[in-house]
Amino acid sequence: MSLYRMKNNTRYSDSAEEEKLFYELTPHYHELQKKVAVTLQKYFADRKDKDINILELGCGSGITSQQILSKNPNIALTAIDCDKDALEQAHSKLESHEKEGGLKLVK
């Protein structure tokens, strides 16, 4: 899990302590991500083709992207972020979706 942090000019970290703090401060974060994915799933439920394209601006480490793609396999997602470190984390988390062609990460 990647989290915002200020020290050492490092924006993302895998610190378990920071992850715990993040979820204490944002207790409904996972619920929000799941709700986005489920809402998209319902919205596109009648479409059977692969022509569903979504642009995610500010994808960060790919948490929302992961939820969207796991619940909506027929979606082609282009995820953009200006932070190189965040995109590297998203790439690690979502590499299988990239290989299958369902995801394109862009800086």
Side-chain angles (χ1 to χ4, degrees), residues 28-82:
H28 303 289
Y29 188 72
H30 279 302
E31 293 170 30
L32 172 65
Q33 306 310 311
K34 289 178 185 177
K35 186 166 182 127
V36 167
V38 168
T39 299
L40 288 171
Q41 184 179 29
K42 288 177 184 176
Y43 183 79
F44 293 115
D46 295 335
R47 298 218 17 208
K48 303 293 183 211
D49 58 346
K50 279 252 185 202
D51 293 335
I52 300 170
N53 297 294
I54 294 179
L55 175 63
E56 181 184 7
L57 302 173
C59 67
S61 64
I63 295 170
T64 303
S65 305
Q66 187 175 42
Q67 287 290 331
I68 291 170
L69 293 167
S70 69
K71 297 202 181 330
N72 304 282
N74 59 330
I75 285 178
L77 180 67
T78 300
I80 298 174
D81 202 288
C82 63

